[in-house]
Amino acid sequence: MAGGTKRLPRAVREQQMLDAAVQMFSVNGYHETSMDAIAAEAQISKPMLYLYYGSKEELFAACLDRELSRFVDEVRSKMDFNEPPKELLRHAVLAFLKYIDEHRSSWMVLYTQATSSQRFAHTVREGRERIIELVGRLLRSGTRFPGPDTDFDMMAVALVGAGEAVASRVSTGDADVDEAAELMINLFWLGLKGAPSPDGDREAGAPDGDSGTDASHADASASLPN
Amino acid sequence: MAGGTKRLPRAVREQQMLDAAVQMFSVNGYHETSMDAIAAEAQISKPMLYLYYGSKEELFAACLDRELSRFVDEVRSKMDFNEPPKELLRHAVLAFLKYIDEHRSSWMVLYTQATSSQRFAHTVREGRERIIELVGRLLRSGTRFPGPDTDFDMMAVALVGAGEAVASRVSTGDADVDEAAELMINLFWLGLKGAPSPDGDREAGAPDGDSGTDASHADASASLPN
């Protein structure tokens, strides 16, 4: 099998190296992972790995770029700002948590390892700011009666922080995706405070009383159109 | 001044070294900070620094221990579980954010630098779990009609994540403490869903409709007893 990899096209081999690197970084962390270990995981020689990526720092940066782009592209592709706010919210939250459940190593690298160095921390901060901006737009577009002092940006910061914390539980297998999604949808919906409920089912999560955050009330995924 | 430090008692000098280390780590990160830089900041010799703390890793661990203990002790000292839930919540959130505003370097070290190495990440994860447990207790004690499937633990995870994100904005000077506190109190209060309002002022943040998350409604700090 190791011999067979010699005939692989460059693009395929690059992706295999990145796959191996993400896997190793997610388990042992950036500083504790050696290029030897990554080469072994990718079943190639260390000189070959250096030929493609130059240094561990460059390799890690390439991992971050790929993982961040894939993640943001996937979640954005499921967000249609022409949809009613509640549907938009459901689709975004479910896309977010399902992606993380299916790409746990990716999330661990982005969330816990990328702050290992100031340079990488900057990349991740920028990615987070883009997501906060998206959520802020979602809150603005979904709120019927915003007060003059309503701080949508700070609410977006809080909700994205909540989402990251819940996602981390999903990534370690300590939370069920559907239950986590229901809780997040309810919390975000409360953050929308008084948004119109386009489908008329205020009891499924609209902020009108005790039912607001009850995770047992409805199955979010069951009522999704797709 | 440099000469005068020679007559300082050991305990005082230890704290000065830790102060200098926290300051430098918060600015440049764990891996990018040298013992030379910390010795210079503390106005002592590098051999003296090594005499007290052995290695950069040991010094960082001592910083984490001190900063985590101070932080948790401060917030816990402001939480009285005999208080009505709303007061308990206000006191905890305000203590949390005020502490961070007044100890910004400490927060940056705990929140962004401590994940630099697997060993330190473990310490911080344990600290976070203790706080999530406290918040879970707060949610349980404050909820009048919990559903059979209400996942207080996951709600606590989400709310602590929200709190960390807002705290980071406070630590960089990008958020006002009182406004951030009001937003967090409202979000947590919504998380309590249907908690009894002991002082009868449901309109100040109880989850009974549009007023729930309106940061402009009330000044949380103004109604505090102390």
Side-chain angles (χ1 to χ4, degrees):
Chain A
M1 178 153 182
T5 61
K6 280 193 175 158
R7 283 182 294 273
L8 288 173
R10 185 181 172 92
V12 174
R13 186 169 281 164
E14 276 177 1
Q15 296 306 312
Q16 285 183 344
M17 290 182 198
L18 292 179
D19 291 342
V22 167
Q23 174 59 24
M24 297 310 289
F25 286 137
S26 76
V27 173
N28 297 318
Y30 173 67
H31 291 284
E32 280 91 345
T33 298
S34 67
M35 290 293 264
D36 281 302
I38 294 167
E41 173 77 14
Q43 296 185 311
I44 53 155
S45 69
K46 196 161 92 166
M48 177 78 88
L49 186 59
Y50 274 102
L51 187 69
Y52 274 68
Y53 288 104
S55 67
K56 187 169 87 167
E57 196 177 24
E58 262 182 59
L59 175 58
F60 191 75
C63 288
L64 280 192
D65 281 346
R66 189 184 76 165
E67 301 307 313
L68 201 56
S69 297
R70 282 184 177 177
F71 167 61
V72 173
D73 289 351
E74 169 66 18
V75 176
R76 277 193 104 127
S77 76
K78 297 282 164 55
M79 292 177 80
D80 174 1
F81 279 91
N82 296 316
E83 278 189 314
K86 189 74 176 273
E87 288 307 301
L88 174 53
L89 175 64
R90 278 177 192 263
H91 289 150
V93 167
L94 276 164
F96 171 61
L97 291 178
K98 279 183 177 168
Y99 185 85
I100 283 153
D101 190 38
E102 289 159 10
H103 303 84
R104 295 181 179 193
S105 302
S106 176
W107 177 257
M108 288 195 200
V109 168
L110 289 174
Y111 188 62
T112 65
Q113 293 313 317
T115 52
S116 294
S117 128
Q118 303 287 79
R119 176 187 158 191
F120 302 136
H122 182 72
T123 304
V124 169
R125 257 200 309 275
E126 283 190 342
R128 176 180 289 127
E129 292 305 323
R130 289 211 303 275
I131 291 160
I132 289 171
E133 209 192 302
L134 272 179
V135 171
R137 267 174 67 191
L138 196 152
L139 294 178
R140 261 183 207 89
S141 74
T143 300
R144 191 159 44 171
F145 306 117
D149 299 330
T150 306
D151 191 341
F152 290 109
D153 296 325
M154 190 54 60
M155 181 57 80
V157 166
L159 294 175
V160 168
E164 290 183 6
V166 169
S168 287
R169 283 295 206 271
V170 167
S171 78
T172 53
D174 293 317
D176 174 77
V177 170
D178 288 327
E179 286 173 22
E182 185 64 16
L183 186 138
M184 271 186 66
I185 289 164
N186 283 329
L187 197 63
F188 273 60
W189 194 239
L190 291 169
L192 291 170
K193 65 161 195 105
S197 186
D199 47 2
D201 69 340
R202 285 183 68 83
E203 73 280 1
D208 58 352
D210 285 356
S211 68
T213 57
D214 194 340
S216 65
H217 253 242
D219 179 3
S221 56
S223 58
L224 279 173
N226 55 2
Chain B
M1 181 156 183
T5 61
K6 280 191 178 161
R7 283 182 295 272
L8 287 173
R10 184 181 174 93
V12 173
R13 186 170 282 164
E14 276 176 1
Q15 295 305 312
Q16 285 183 345
M17 291 181 197
L18 291 179
D19 290 342
V22 167
Q23 174 60 22
M24 298 310 288
F25 286 136
S26 76
V27 173
N28 297 317
Y30 173 66
H31 291 283
E32 280 91 343
T33 298
S34 67
M35 291 293 264
D36 281 301
I38 294 168
E41 174 76 14
Q43 296 186 312
I44 54 156
S45 69
K46 196 160 90 164
M48 178 77 89
L49 186 59
Y50 274 102
L51 187 68
Y52 275 67
Y53 289 104
S55 68
K56 189 170 84 166
E57 197 177 24
E58 262 183 59
L59 175 57
F60 191 74
C63 288
L64 281 191
D65 281 346
R66 188 185 75 165
E67 300 307 313
L68 201 57
S69 297
R70 281 185 177 177
F71 168 61
V72 173
D73 288 352
E74 169 65 18
V75 177
R76 276 192 105 128
S77 76
K78 297 283 164 55
M79 291 177 81
D80 174 1
F81 279 90
N82 295 317
E83 278 189 315
K86 189 73 176 274
E87 289 307 301
L88 173 52
L89 175 63
R90 278 177 194 263
H91 290 150
V93 168
L94 276 164
F96 171 59
L97 291 178
K98 278 183 178 168
Y99 185 84
I100 282 153
D101 190 39
E102 288 160 10
H103 302 85
R104 296 181 178 192
S105 302
S106 175
W107 179 255
M108 289 194 200
V109 168
L110 287 174
Y111 188 63
T112 66
Q113 293 313 317
T115 52
S116 295
S117 128
Q118 303 287 81
R119 176 185 159 192
F120 302 136
H122 182 72
T123 305
V124 168
R125 257 200 310 275
E126 283 190 340
R128 176 181 289 127
E129 293 304 323
R130 289 211 303 274
I131 291 161
I132 288 171
E133 207 192 304
L134 272 179
V135 170
R137 267 173 68 190
L138 195 152
L139 293 178
R140 262 186 207 86
S141 74
T143 299
R144 192 161 38 173
F145 306 117
D149 298 332
T150 305
D151 191 341
F152 290 111
D153 296 324
M154 191 54 62
M155 181 58 80
V157 166
L159 294 176
V160 168
E164 289 183 8
V166 168
S168 287
R169 283 293 205 273
V170 166
S171 78
T172 53
D174 293 316
D176 175 76
V177 170
D178 288 327
E179 287 173 21
E182 185 63 16
L183 186 138
M184 272 186 64
I185 290 164
N186 283 329
L187 198 63
F188 272 61
W189 193 238
L190 291 169
L192 291 170
K193 65 159 195 105
S197 186
D199 47 4
D201 69 339
R202 286 182 67 83
E203 72 280 0
D208 58 352
D210 284 356
S211 66
T213 57
D214 193 337
S216 65
H217 253 242
D219 178 3
S221 56
S223 59
L224 280 172
N226 58 0

